Amino acid sequence: MTAFAALHVPGSPLLLPNVWDFGTAAFLAAQGFPALGTTSLGVSAAEGEPDGAPSSKDATVRLARRLTGLDTLISVDLADGFSEDPGEVGALAAELAEAGVAGINLEDTLGDPVRHAAKIAAAKERAPGLFVNARTDTHWLGENDIGTAIERCLSYVDAGADGVFVPGLAAPADVERLVAAVGVPVNLLFLPGKVTVDGLAGLGVARVSLGSLPYRMALAATLRTVEAVRDGGELPLTPPSYADVAALLPESH
């Protein structure tokens, strides 16, 4: 079992913050978080590209390579793998594994589950030690059928997935059904007002991702800060100092 896989404990889930740039990742790593993920929305938005578009692939890989130098384990959100060709997805997985990435996330966007399973199998064949988290979008894209989610997840586990991810799933009875059915670590998305980490832990979940929430909260905090300065109000948060952030960055050569 890899160090990253060992963090996935049913009932004591890994809280995985998701980042979009080196500075944010370095700041969180310095706070002692054992693992970080990337967020496709944040990375894509930083590049001015649509979420998860093939055009954001290079930025995703470039960021992943930088993040592996931090003292934390890194999982990379690859959207749908940036390709419909399983061979290309396998090659990308191998490239990231060689760079030191601990895991990847692959989403099916409710497309052909056979094709998605082939992508997972290709990734595991080319990078056996990489933790492949297989995401199904049943509950994210509105289908909301737990039977379909379980069926898709089981096919991905059969293809070699190390864990499954069903963002949008929150109903406790359905979470318990999924955990009991799949036999691998279950990852759910934190949904403010709908789930808590403790509640998901009690249902046997092994990983809780924050997804794009930190990026979207950063946008909200930026706006609140600008408004406070404009209106003569108090800053909404106390920021780290310039020197504190600069100290997290690599030295120039």
Side-chain angles (χ1 to χ4, degrees), residues 54-69:
S55 52
S56 65
K57 173 184 174 182
D58 289 347
T60 299
V61 173
R62 185 167 61 249
L63 176 61
R65 289 183 174 277
R66 295 298 302 276
L67 298 187
T68 56

Side-chain angles (χ1 to χ4, degrees), residues 40-249:
S40 66
L41 177 63
V43 174
S44 297
E47 289 292 307
E49 300 288 350
D51 182 22
S55 52
S56 65
K57 173 184 174 182
D58 289 347
T60 299
V61 173
R62 185 167 61 249
L63 176 61
R65 289 183 174 277
R66 295 298 302 276
L67 298 187
T68 56
L70 296 171
D71 186 22
T72 188
L73 299 169
I74 300 298
S75 180
V76 180
D77 184 356
L78 293 183
D80 65 353
F82 304 114
S83 174
E84 286 303 299
D85 181 353
E88 292 183 1
V89 175
L92 178 57
E95 178 183 354
L96 292 172
E98 185 176 356
V101 166
I104 59 173
N105 198 73
L106 287 173
E107 62 193 63
D108 65 8
T109 63
L110 279 188
D112 179 6
V114 175
R115 176 56 61 94
H116 196 61
K119 294 181 183 181
I120 293 164
K124 290 301 293 184
E125 180 180 0
R126 294 292 305 275
L130 200 63
F131 189 102
V132 176
N133 200 39
R135 166 175 160 171
T136 184
D137 286 306
T138 51
H139 289 67
W140 191 245
L141 297 180
E143 187 164 312
N144 293 332
D145 181 73
I146 188 60
T148 301
I150 290 173
E151 182 179 358
R152 283 179 173 259
C153 285
L154 286 174
S155 71
Y156 303 154
V157 172
D158 287 344
D162 300 285
V164 295
F165 182 25
V166 187
L169 178 62
D174 288 345
V175 174
E176 287 184 316
R177 282 185 62 188
L178 177 67
V179 169
V182 296
V184 297
V186 169
N187 179 196
L188 293 185
L189 184 68
F190 177 74
L191 302 170
K194 293 184 178 180
V195 301
T196 64
V197 173
D198 284 347
L200 293 177
L203 299 172
V205 171
R207 170 166 151 186
V208 179
S209 296
L210 295 185
S212 65
L213 180 61
Y215 176 73
R216 291 182 288 113
M217 289 297 294
L219 296 181
T222 298
L223 177 60
R224 287 283 304 279
T225 299
V226 173
E227 290 175 338
V229 172
R230 179 194 65 193
D231 301 336
E234 295 291 328
L235 293 179
L237 297 167
T238 301
S241 70
Y242 176 93
D244 288 340
V245 176
L248 298 171
L249 306 179

